[in-house]
Amino acid sequence: MAALGTLASGIGHEINNPLYAILGAAEAIRDGNDLARGQEHAQDIIGYCKHVAGIIKNLTGYIRPADKHGLEPVYVNTAISDAVLMARLTLLSDAIEIDQRLDAVPAIFAKSEDIQQVFFNVIRNGLQAMGREGTLEIESVREANRVLVRIRDTGSGIAPGDLTRIYDPFFTTKGPDEGEGIGLFVVQQIVNKYDGTIEFESEVGKGTVCAITFPIREPNGEEP
Amino acid sequence: MKHKVLIIDDEAAIRKTIRLQLEGTIYDVLEAEDGEKGIHVLDNENILEVVVIICDVRMPKLNGIEAVAYFHENYAGIPIIVLTGYPDVQLAVDFMKGGVVDYLVKPVEKDKLVEAVGKAARQHTLFSGSQQPKL
Ligand SMILES: Nc1ncnc2c1ncn2[C@@H]1O[C@H](COP(=O)(O)OP(=O)(O)OP(=O)(O)O)[C@@H](O)[C@H]1O
Ligand SMILES: [Mg+2]
């Protein structure tokens, strides 16, 4: 994962911005005497507070280490299909094709929300990178004692210089309303938590392939 | 003569906040959302009127470090205040060595911002004694 300094500075930037806006709006209320304007500032403060709460909610929960209790068998294919369903809701265009080639793979041991979150975040990135047109291919296969999932898009691709930064918290090339840059940070946290692996290959203008593996384990934590 | 402050920050909320904090002072506010746009704004202004640049560090396109270097090269007379979301001692030292007049960490209180802008504006090399802006 990214150096702790990166996380701290990312959080610092991300939270101090809305804090500054809250401070400014509160000062304006304190120093002003126009009720309607004061109400507008108060409304802004409410919005900034929600924004900060959202950031914290996104970050917590994933940074916690894995507790081995509460893990359940998770069927990767189900998690993928659910993630596709959710991601489809955000699609603006029907010129996007989503192709799923899912082998019957054994369950992994995890929390199903975590695994669903991983696929959702990666799939959503792929869809966002394609814009209005393209094909997203998702395949799952068993490889030795691991489940391998490949998610391939025909989108914009990732510039070579950005490839090392995509997991950094708050690294984004998207506009403020489209991305916070948290998606892949969260993905990496979850993948590490379950001893998984993740790799990206990408070519600008052609597309991106993301390969994720998780170990297949017995409920007692032993490898099969 | 006008006293304009150019704010370069990618977040609209921050530009709005600084604008609010400078309301009622002698300063008019110009805004840009990244370093490149900031340069564009300066190219289209009477730069004698731009008394201070306030520049964020983390921005898309031209970031704060690159932007500051560019301003020093091309608009050497205009004092620059760097505004950052996260205190980083090394970065602060580098900026100060690079001729930045102040380094502020968000959130910044109104009085402190107004004071910092005033102090910076008085270092504008294009002002002779009598023209120095007063708050
Ligand atoms: N499939 C992809 N194609 C092209 N670029 C990608 C892809 N996946 C990730 N990226 C790049 O990596 C950056 C970081 O991705 P990440 O998911 O962490 O954040 P985000 O998508 O920008 O925002 P968020 O996921 O928080 O809404 C993206 O902004 C984008 O530049
Ligand atoms: Mg994302």
Side-chain angles (χ1 to χ4, degrees), chain A residues 5-6 8-10 12-14 16-25 27-28 30-31 37 41 44 48 169-170 176, chain B residues 9-14 16-18 20-21 23 56-58 60 83-87 105-111 113:
Chain A
T6 316
S9 94
H13 278 279
E14 218 56 32
N16 281 334
N17 271 333
L19 275 184
Y20 188 12
I22 289 169
L23 176 76
E27 287 170 341
R30 180 194 64 195
D31 301 339
R37 261 197 102 188
H41 293 315
D44 284 347
Y48 299 136
F170 307 112
Chain B
D9 195 305
D10 57 325
E11 289 221 15
I14 295 299
K16 181 173 172 185
T17 299
I18 297 176
L20 263 181
Q21 290 185 323
E23 219 175 76
D56 187 24
V57 176
R58 231 191 223 214
L83 191 61
T84 178
Y86 184 74
V105 179
K106 298 171 192 173
V108 187
E109 282 180 58
K110 178 170 154 180
D111 294 348
L113 183 85

Side-chain angles (χ1 to χ4, degrees), chain A residues 8-218:
Chain A
S9 94
I11 295 174
H13 278 279
E14 218 56 32
I15 291 182
N16 281 334
N17 271 333
L19 275 184
Y20 188 12
I22 289 169
L23 176 76
E27 287 170 341
I29 295 172
R30 180 194 64 195
D31 301 339
N33 46 23
D34 177 339
L35 180 62
R37 261 197 102 188
Q39 284 170 336
E40 268 172 44
H41 293 315
Q43 195 57 47
D44 284 347
I45 291 177
I46 294 170
Y48 299 136
C49 288
K50 288 189 176 154
H51 181 68
V52 174
I55 289 168
I56 291 169
K57 188 168 158 226
N58 265 323
L59 282 172
T60 50
Y62 302 109
I63 298 178
R64 266 186 253 126
D67 65 70
K68 297 281 175 197
H69 308 287
L71 301 189
E72 54 193 359
V74 176
Y75 291 93
V76 164
N77 291 347
T78 315
I80 292 171
S81 309
D82 289 350
V84 167
L85 272 183
M86 285 199 289
R88 262 190 201 285
L89 296 177
T90 64
L91 276 187
L92 295 171
S93 149
D94 42 35
I96 295 272
E97 212 179 301
I98 303 182
D99 219 1
Q100 302 183 49
R101 280 178 289 146
L102 309 180
D103 280 3
V105 288
I108 60 170
F109 255 69
K111 275 193 184 137
S112 59
E113 317 94 82
D114 281 356
I115 303 306
Q116 206 178 66
Q117 178 92 54
V118 164
F119 295 125
F120 176 73
N121 287 6
V122 174
I123 289 168
R124 190 182 48 178
N125 281 346
L127 296 177
Q128 286 172 329
M130 294 191 292
R132 306 199 68 82
E133 220 177 334
T135 308
L136 189 83
E137 264 175 35
I138 309 169
E139 55 176 331
S140 63
V141 289
R142 178 175 182 159
E143 268 197 354
N145 286 336
R146 306 185 80 85
V147 173
L148 165 68
V149 177
R150 254 196 225 99
I151 298 167
R152 182 190 309 268
D153 68 65
T154 57
S156 55
I158 304 170
D162 287 345
L163 259 182
T164 53
R165 304 170 65 196
I166 54 176
Y167 303 111
D168 287 357
F170 307 112
F171 172 74
T172 181
T173 56
K174 297 168 191 173
D177 299 329
E178 280 175 292
E180 302 252 36
I182 295 179
L184 289 182
F185 170 69
V186 166
V187 165
Q188 197 187 36
Q189 297 301 307
I190 298 174
V191 166
N192 289 345
K193 175 164 149 180
Y194 297 113
D195 302 320
T197 64
I198 177 164
E199 268 169 39
F200 275 86
E201 261 174 55
S202 188
E203 200 175 331
V204 174
K206 292 240 163 88
T208 301
V209 187
C210 172
I212 297 172
T213 74
F214 287 109
I216 301 162
R217 284 196 208 283
E218 298 301 327

Side-chain angles (χ1 to χ4, degrees), chain B residues 34-119:
Chain B
D34 60 55
E36 266 175 38
K37 298 230 169 72
I39 292 167
H40 187 74
V41 170
L42 284 181
D43 286 343
N44 289 292
E45 283 290 325
N46 172 359
I47 56 161
L48 286 176
E49 295 180 348
V50 180
V51 295
V52 176
I53 298 170
I54 300 178
C55 188
D56 187 24
V57 176
R58 231 191 223 214
M59 293 181 296
K61 309 228 177 103
L62 211 59
N63 68 34
I65 299 164
E66 297 158 340
V68 164
Y70 182 91
F71 295 139
H72 271 303
E73 187 93 22
N74 297 280
Y75 296 98
I78 309 178
I80 303 171
I81 296 175
V82 168
L83 191 61
T84 178
Y86 184 74
D88 179 326
V89 177
Q90 190 53 50
L91 201 61
V93 169
D94 291 348
F95 271 124
M96 300 309 276
K97 277 190 191 152
V100 159
V101 301
D102 213 340
Y103 179 88
L104 302 176
V105 179
K106 298 171 192 173
V108 187
E109 282 180 58
K110 178 170 154 180
D111 294 348
K112 188 151 178 234
L113 183 85
V114 173
E115 191 192 310
V117 169
K119 218 167 103 192

